[in-house]
Amino acid sequence: MRKRFQWSTLVLVALSCLLVLAGCGGKQEATTSGNEAAASNGLEAIKQRGKLVIGVKYDTKLFGLKDPASGKVEGFDIDIAKAVAKHIFGDETKLELKEVTSKTRITLLQNGDIDAIIATMTISDERKKQVDFSDVYFNAGQSLLVKKGSPITGLESLTPDTKVLAVKGSTSAKNIREKAPKATILEFENYQDAFNALKAGKGQALTTDNSILLGMQQQDPNYTLVGGNFTEEPYGIAVKKGQTELLQAINDTIKELKSNGEYDKLHEQWLGVKPE
Ligand code: GLU
């Protein structure tokens, strides 16, 4: 009797220990997988939050431009952002747009202020060290914008006397230093500031993607593109490194838009021509 009692106590103690251990183990497991989820699956967090937060340009006609009167932001990148929201939530209005510039966009993404960047952003090896990119969703190329009648006709006209205007944090600012090493490069915070500087005569040419310059030309037809494209600027949507499910949702959206004809429509609507 006494012996049996001891045995059952031992079994009970052993069982309790096991339960406690299992409990601890279980808890640990839950925490670990929770952290992993946060790191690798931002999509779940976005779904729980109920909206997608996208960093877009507010200064770039045709891609992302804010109308100060209505407060509306419009452009090709905005429509792509809406399509991603629609893909994830079945509702394109479950979207919050936040302003980024070429200089601020990667920091805002790293800080978690935005889920993704859809902002005329070229996929480059240097940037790939910091962010992950979607498939290419637009093909641009760097060019020059000058006042109509300007003696500048292309890269070869950029002499030590030429001031070329560019935007901080853009590939354009970096490329132009390599392509026109003799010219003086002035860098601005955003594209409207750079364009205003060109109009104020602070430089003789403005350089960035042809797609952005096209929007400026529409804003003021006294300005024109010259010299053709001298780089390739494939645009990608950037997400934080390791956000594989969000990236998959974005790539699926791009594929969908291309296969259902919506991509061509958007391209024609904003750029005036069908994609090549
Ligand atoms: N596509 C170029 C870049 O990613 C120029 C446009 C921009 O500044 O966003 O830097």
Side-chain angles (χ1 to χ4, degrees):
M1 184 69 183
R2 212 186 130 92
K3 215 171 190 182
R4 219 187 276 163
F5 173 77
Q6 276 179 333
W7 270 114
S8 57
T9 311
L10 205 69
V11 168
L12 263 177
V13 168
L15 268 176
S16 321
C17 281
L18 268 175
L19 275 174
V20 167
L21 278 175
C24 286
K27 239 189 201 163
Q28 254 171 12
E29 223 166 70
T31 322
T32 315
S33 59
N35 286 340
E36 273 166 15
S40 67
N41 182 13
L43 188 57
E44 255 335 291
I46 291 165
K47 282 183 179 163
Q48 273 171 21
R49 186 204 299 142
K51 69 175 176 190
L52 183 68
V53 184
I54 300 289
V56 296
K57 293 284 184 74
Y58 277 18
D59 66 342
T60 304
K61 189 173 165 64
L62 306 181
F63 283 81
L65 183 70
K66 186 170 184 176
D67 178 343
S70 68
K72 266 180 100 183
V73 192
E74 287 181 333
F76 186 77
D77 280 343
I78 310 305
D79 287 346
I80 301 284
K82 285 181 184 168
V84 178
K86 190 164 180 201
H87 178 89
I88 293 173
F89 294 106
D91 180 351
E92 65 169 41
T93 66
K94 298 221 181 305
L95 172 69
E96 185 185 330
L97 301 175
K98 281 197 183 166
E99 182 180 15
V100 299
T101 65
S102 306
K103 193 178 86 177
T104 65
R105 59 192 160 193
I106 291 184
T107 311
L108 289 171
L109 183 68
Q110 312 282 39
N111 289 350
D113 289 311
I114 50 177
D115 298 318
I117 302 167
I118 312 185
T120 65
M121 189 172 183
T122 298
I123 302 170
S124 74
D125 287 340
E126 204 178 315
R127 289 173 178 165
K128 274 187 195 165
K129 290 179 199 153
Q130 295 175 282
V131 300
D132 286 345
F133 281 105
S134 71
D135 297 336
V136 176
Y137 73 94
F138 187 83
N139 282 301
Q142 187 171 346
S143 192
L144 296 167
L145 187 77
V146 297
K147 195 161 189 182
K148 271 188 184 156
S150 162
I152 296 172
T153 52
L155 277 180
E156 64 291 343
S157 322
L158 305 178
T159 66
D161 297 331
T162 325
K163 286 197 185 93
V164 183
L165 315 176
V167 163
K168 291 178 189 170
S170 66
T171 51
S172 339
K174 195 168 170 265
N175 296 335
I176 197 68
R177 289 205 156 80
E178 288 160 21
K179 306 268 175 191
K182 289 182 196 147
T184 303
I185 315 300
L186 301 180
E187 293 188 26
F188 293 83
E189 293 299 323
N190 63 58
Y191 284 102
Q192 288 309 316
D193 284 358
F195 192 29
N196 287 336
L198 181 70
K199 288 191 271 191
K202 292 187 180 150
Q204 293 77 45
L206 192 163
T207 190
T208 186
D209 302 335
N210 58 345
S211 43
I212 298 176
L213 297 177
L214 203 68
M216 292 177 180
Q217 193 183 17
Q218 286 183 16
Q219 284 176 321
D220 189 337
N222 290 316
Y223 291 83
T224 188
L225 279 84
V226 291
N229 295 349
F230 48 85
T231 69
E232 282 179 6
E233 307 291 330
Y235 290 178
I237 297 173
V239 299
K240 248 187 181 175
K241 273 198 167 292
Q243 298 283 345
T244 46
E245 295 200 14
L246 175 58
L247 201 58
Q248 188 62 48
I250 289 171
N251 280 332
D252 289 347
T253 308
I254 297 171
K255 277 195 200 93
E256 260 168 39
L257 289 174
K258 288 201 171 162
S259 63
N260 67 15
E262 196 56 36
Y263 179 88
D264 285 14
K265 267 195 217 156
L266 289 179
H267 197 287
E268 203 170 0
Q269 178 189 339
W270 292 108
L271 283 308
V273 287
K274 285 223 166 78
E276 283 170 15

